[in-house]
Amino acid sequence: MSDNAVASSGSTAGTSPAEDEVLAELTAPVPEVGDGGPEMIQLLTPEGQRVENTEYDEYVKDLTDEDLRGFYRDLVLIRRVDAEATALQRQGELGIWASLLGQEAAQVGSGRAMRPQDYAFPTYREHGVAWCRGVNPLNLLGLFRGVNHGGWDPNEKNFHLYTIVIGAQTLHATGYAMGIQRDGDVGTGDADRDAAVIAYFGDGATAQGDVNESFVYAAVNNAPVVFFCQNNQWAISEPNERQTRIPLYQRARGFGFPGVRVDGNDVLAVYAVTQQALNAARSGNGPTFIEAYTYRMGAHTTSDDPTKYRVSAEVEVWKHRDPIERLKSYLVHTQKADQAFFDALEKEGDELAVAVREGCLSMPDPTPDSMFDHIYVEEHPVVEAERKEFAAYHAGFEGEGSH
Amino acid sequence: MGSMTIAKGINNGLRAAMERDPKVVLMGEDIGKLGGVFRVTDGLQKDFGEDRVIDTPLAEAGIVGTAIGMALRGYRPVVEIQFDGFIYPAFDHIVSQVAKMRARSLGKIKLPMVIRIPVGGGIGAVEHHSESNEAYFAHTAGLKVVCCSNAEDAYWMIQQAIESDDPVLFYEPKRRYWDKGEVDESAAPRPLLKAQVCREGTDLTLVAYGPMVKTCLQAAEAAAAEGKNLEVIDLRTLSPLDLDTVAASVEKTGRTVIVHEASTFLGMGAEIAAALQQRCFYHLEAPVLRVGGYNLPYPPSKLEEEFLPDLDRVLDAVDRSLAF
Ligand SMILES: Cc1ncc(C[n+]2csc(CCOP(=O)(O)OP(=O)(O)O)c2C)c(N)n1
Ligand SMILES: [Mg+2]
């Protein structure tokens, strides 16, 4: 994943910038910050005004006020979990954390568009999708705390393990979709049976060979897979221009399937666009590429120091496009939620944060010999021999009081 | 002469090579403004420009594949792979193209490129960030594989690797990046493809490279307190191996323990042990022992200290050898 490993290796990253750096920052020209352009699908403006859209309105027209409050609750709670995880990392309880700050709507909108039988293949940042799939946030922490490599059962919630090697999961998602297709679980018209897959990845990942190959495989197989790219404008320190010279959604056309850009900070629009794409996939109409245009509000990970490569003026522009604020303002001015709702949610968030913290702190360390477990399905002589050797070696220390 | 970290040693070495030869270009993810996630290329893009310090798209096959093309055009690309676990997308280019092109052209072309890889564990990272994959490449004919263990070597070896007309995989011990050492920038460097005896001793030879050299020096220090006199060899080059230096030492001490982070199964230690039993059979007083990672996927970071060789495991092997 990420890692700006400098901080964890003891360098000075993260200390306050020198005076000349501060001055350079103040005098630097404000960069041009893209707004997604006229083709970007948006149903809620940053101010929370509902924009009509003849193509996509139908996908949100049946949403009840309760559904909308549910989206809001998801956004708020996952941000709370994320903030708590960041704090836990700062306190040394996690080795590293990849924050989703700013990308909540992209994840909740797409996650809520899925049906139980659909399957998600995430990167390492899809905490909001995990939340929507019902994965316990504590499961996510294990990998970042270093007690396991993920360890949850992907088939329990149809949410695959986090994948750190950039882009690899897009091929796995495509293959999984090919399996669904061969099982005949596409295009039957049975809403509880037809299934699709979502492959999540970032803007940087679009450069990888694996990702481009997955587009080819999905296209020629007409596989029921939705490629969901969160374009958060940055791949660690590299901006979009280092990965592409065409808006990402337009790439899909060259591979032979539709591409759409959606305002990734607008949960309604993301929900609508993903519904449409998943419906197409489930009914046998093949893949869609969704580019959720959003922004990584924080550092790449807790080890990263973004002041090295981007100016805060850019972050300021995106603050005004916050996914939570816009839905809140919509809920308030349409009177779909009252103060009691917001108050109760805040309390729920606090309780969740406490649960996450306590759950993290009480997570047992793995026992040393557990590293020999689960390597193979069948018993393996080398593993067993080394397991014994390991035990004998440690037995040699017993009684020494050291160790 | 000055004290600097290994990271800074490589940085200074890259700078010196770039100043000397305008054909030296750096390629990699986040190596420009950010200076790489370990800051090894810090400041180089600012001083040499974006044409010579290239922030590449996020695609390792692309990085190595295009570096091959640059080399064919007369450049000396120095590629940074962000972490050891991310070399694999480029594996095909390295093994099928980089390693073989010289022979395929019957010697008409050369590929003077360097592939820099931060290697090994011990930094508490998540998966794919702590791998030791040097043996894959040492196993591949047509590649040279070296690994520095200290700031002085970092400074010189990177320059020598760049000057080499053959492709070189250059491993950097990431958990030692911030270890300081003296670097004499005016002294004559040691040859790139020679091992170094970094502590002389008579009772047993510890053979290591990269991050484990420090561990072995500490082990030798601890053993000395108990009256055991260990010799420590820093291999520095893994392909070709400088077996002459190792064999000469083992002929003197009669005992050896080979230490590396990588799994022992088909690791560098296996090759060295095989060679030593052929070359030094009558000098050996004990079987050649190996201390390495277990033959497992690199474990979650909470377990990495159990997985990695440490002082105790090295000393345990030393005791077993001496007791034989
Ligand atoms: C194959 C591979 N190469 C390099 C890395 C190191 N790395 C981790 S995240 C990252 C940037 C990813 O950017 P993007 O795809 O935009 O996703 P984001 O992190 O912005 O969500 C890099 C280079 C990796 N994890 N895998
Ligand atoms: Mg990104």
Side-chain angles (χ1 to χ4, degrees):
Chain A
M1 130 150 111
S2 111
D3 315 356
N4 223 315
V6 164
S8 60
S9 310
S11 106
T12 54
T15 57
S16 44
E19 198 177 331
D20 57 338
E21 287 175 43
V22 176
L23 276 177
E25 165 92 343
L26 289 173
T27 51
V30 178
E32 241 181 72
V33 178
D35 64 0
E39 295 206 351
M40 184 174 78
I41 308 302
Q42 187 182 69
L43 299 182
L44 275 185
T45 67
E47 293 73 37
Q49 297 301 320
R50 182 72 168 78
V51 194
E52 284 193 10
N53 184 302
T54 46
E55 187 175 354
Y56 289 99
D57 279 349
E58 71 166 284
Y59 296 97
V60 294
K61 71 176 189 307
D62 294 332
L63 290 173
T64 63
D65 291 356
E66 196 182 340
D67 291 333
L68 293 173
R69 287 194 299 271
F71 285 168
Y72 185 79
R73 176 177 171 272
D74 291 335
L75 297 173
V76 167
L77 293 184
I78 196 59
R79 180 173 288 187
R80 196 75 167 85
V81 170
D82 188 76
E84 199 59 28
T86 299
L88 284 163
Q89 193 282 334
R90 293 282 176 241
Q91 292 151 10
E93 297 296 338
L94 300 178
I96 192 172
W97 179 251
S99 167
L100 66 15
L101 189 64
Q103 300 175 219
E104 296 88 350
Q107 297 194 14
V108 167
S110 57
R112 285 297 171 206
M114 297 178 75
R115 292 193 190 140
Q117 70 270 27
D118 296 335
Y119 213 109
F121 283 80
T123 70
Y124 39 81
R125 209 188 286 286
E126 266 67 73
H127 322 312
V129 182
W131 170 263
C132 295
R133 297 303 294 171
V135 175
N136 184 338
L138 285 175
N139 279 343
L140 310 178
L141 297 192
L143 182 148
F144 295 97
R145 190 169 165 83
V147 304
N148 57 38
H149 293 315
W152 62 83
D153 176 1
N155 292 326
E156 200 179 309
K157 308 286 185 193
N158 284 8
F159 184 79
H160 188 68
L161 297 171
Y162 274 180
T163 297
I164 286 172
V165 180
I166 299 293
Q169 75 283 0
T170 59
L171 282 165
H172 311 156
T174 301
Y176 194 94
M178 289 162 61
I180 290 178
Q181 196 178 29
R182 278 152 187 75
D183 284 344
D185 294 337
V186 171
T188 68
D190 178 348
D192 295 327
R193 175 169 175 191
D194 291 341
V197 181
I198 303 194
Y200 287 90
F201 53 100
D203 44 291
T206 61
Q208 274 291 11
D210 279 8
V211 176
N212 288 274
E213 290 177 22
S214 75
F215 294 165
V216 172
Y217 274 72
V220 302
N221 284 287
N222 203 37
V225 56
V226 173
F227 294 106
F228 194 94
C229 175
Q230 286 167 82
N231 179 356
N232 63 7
Q233 315 297 324
W234 291 93
I236 309 187
S237 73
E238 297 197 17
N240 274 193
E241 305 85 77
R242 300 305 313 161
Q243 317 288 347
T244 186
R245 294 296 163 108
I246 187 177
L248 290 172
Y249 72 99
Q250 291 181 16
R251 285 225 187 134
R253 199 180 149 74
F255 287 94
F257 50 88
V260 53
R261 178 179 275 182
V262 62
D263 184 338
N265 288 12
D266 171 357
V267 70
L268 281 192
V270 174
Y271 178 78
V273 164
T274 313
Q275 278 280 343
Q276 183 193 49
L278 283 171
N279 283 347
R282 292 189 205 105
S283 54
N285 291 327
T288 301
F289 180 105
I290 298 173
E291 177 191 0
Y293 198 77
T294 181
Y295 193 73
R296 195 194 79 205
M297 292 300 289
H300 170 69
T301 66
T302 45
S303 306
D304 178 36
D305 173 13
T307 63
K308 291 275 286 184
Y309 54 80
R310 74 182 189 188
V311 298
S312 56
E314 180 180 296
V315 184
E316 288 307 314
V317 172
W318 279 93
K319 263 189 194 154
H320 296 294
R321 303 175 183 168
D322 185 68
I324 296 187
E325 284 309 312
R326 84 173 66 183
L327 184 58
K328 181 170 192 178
S329 120
Y330 176 69
L331 291 176
V332 168
H333 76 72
T334 54
Q335 296 177 342
K336 293 179 194 300
D338 58 14
Q339 194 54 42
F341 166 77
F342 294 113
D343 291 346
L345 183 57
E346 195 176 325
K347 188 157 165 282
E348 190 182 1
D350 290 343
E351 285 163 8
L352 178 63
V354 170
V356 166
R357 165 166 297 270
E358 286 175 355
C360 178
L361 298 184
S362 61
M363 214 175 269
D365 281 354
T367 57
D369 71 339
S370 68
M371 66 182 162
F372 296 94
D373 296 342
H374 309 303
I375 312 300
Y376 299 91
V377 176
E378 296 165 9
E379 193 168 293
H380 190 284
V382 176
V383 173
E384 293 318 314
E386 289 200 342
R387 187 200 295 274
K388 274 201 193 124
E389 190 187 298
F390 181 79
Y393 171 72
H394 282 277
F397 287 99
E398 260 160 39
E400 278 186 23
S402 69
H403 222 63
Chain B
M1 193 80 171
S3 171
M4 66 186 75
T5 62
I6 290 182
K8 188 62 184 167
I10 300 167
N11 179 279
N12 285 352
L14 289 169
R15 178 179 292 279
M18 294 181 81
E19 278 166 356
R20 216 166 22 239
D21 182 354
K23 294 291 188 189
V24 175
V25 294
L26 312 189
M27 307 170 71
E29 295 157 8
D30 305 290
I31 67 168
K33 254 190 190 165
L34 184 63
V37 298
F38 292 104
R39 307 292 188 267
V40 170
T41 56
D42 199 25
L44 297 177
Q45 189 181 63
K46 191 162 147 265
D47 294 345
F48 293 97
E50 294 184 14
D51 268 357
R52 292 189 66 195
V53 180
I54 306 169
D55 261 339
T56 65
L58 205 180
E60 289 77 9
I63 298 173
V64 174
T66 53
I68 294 171
M70 297 275 287
L72 290 173
R73 181 69 190 183
Y75 285 82
R76 286 184 182 266
V78 182
V79 158
E80 173 174 305
I81 298 297
Q82 199 160 82
F83 280 87
D84 34 49
F86 308 138
I87 188 72
Y88 307 116
F91 198 78
D92 172 52
H93 277 285
I94 298 173
V95 170
S96 303
Q97 306 297 335
V98 175
K100 297 189 167 96
M101 218 170 263
R102 174 82 180 162
R104 284 164 61 215
S105 76
L106 296 180
K108 290 182 188 63
I109 54 173
K110 57 184 186 184
L111 289 181
M113 54 193 284
V114 176
I115 301 175
R116 295 182 34 238
I117 308 175
V119 71
I123 63 162
V126 292
E127 55 177 352
H128 312 298
H129 291 72
S130 305
E131 316 242 313
S132 295
N133 42 30
E134 61 276 8
Y136 293 145
F137 299 109
H139 186 69
T140 303
L143 305 173
K144 289 178 175 166
V145 183
V146 303
C147 184
C148 62
S149 73
N150 59 67
E152 170 119 71
D153 275 352
Y155 175 73
W156 288 116
M157 285 172 71
I158 189 64
Q159 296 181 64
Q160 293 165 320
I162 293 169
E163 273 161 23
S164 167
D165 279 337
D166 287 313
V168 178
L169 276 92
F170 189 87
Y171 278 100
E172 304 170 2
K174 70 170 84 85
R175 70 158 125 163
R176 312 285 188 219
Y177 266 140
W178 315 111
D179 285 6
K180 283 194 167 177
E182 288 299 316
V183 178
D184 187 347
E185 294 173 13
S186 59
R190 300 177 195 102
L192 178 65
L193 301 179
K194 288 290 280 180
Q196 197 210 349
V197 177
C198 42
R199 178 186 174 113
E200 292 198 19
T202 49
D203 297 340
L204 180 149
T205 304
L206 287 175
V207 179
Y209 53 91
M212 284 294 115
V213 172
K214 183 175 177 178
T215 306
C216 286
L217 286 169
Q218 289 168 340
E221 197 65 41
E226 297 177 9
K228 298 166 201 158
N229 191 359
L230 309 188
E231 181 143 305
V232 180
I233 292 182
D234 178 356
L235 282 176
R236 301 172 79 248
T237 171
L238 306 181
S239 179
L241 272 170
D242 175 14
L243 288 167
D244 290 345
T245 299
V246 180
S249 171
V250 173
E251 286 176 9
K252 178 176 71 173
T253 61
R255 299 168 200 273
T256 184
V257 175
I258 306 158
V259 185
H260 50 59
E261 286 193 16
S263 301
T264 48
F265 189 77
L266 290 177
M268 294 306 305
E271 176 61 30
I272 298 166
L276 288 178
Q277 64 85 18
Q278 279 181 331
R279 291 178 61 150
C280 316
F281 189 71
Y282 291 106
H283 293 87
L284 286 172
E285 306 281 350
V288 177
L289 297 182
R290 290 174 291 162
V291 179
Y294 296 98
N295 297 292
L296 305 170
Y298 198 85
S301 62
K302 289 267 188 194
L303 296 179
E304 68 181 340
E305 298 201 347
E306 304 284 351
F307 176 86
L308 291 170
D310 60 5
L311 199 69
D312 286 340
R313 279 179 64 201
V314 173
L315 290 174
D316 173 68
V318 166
D319 287 348
R320 279 187 282 131
S321 176
L322 290 173
F324 190 82

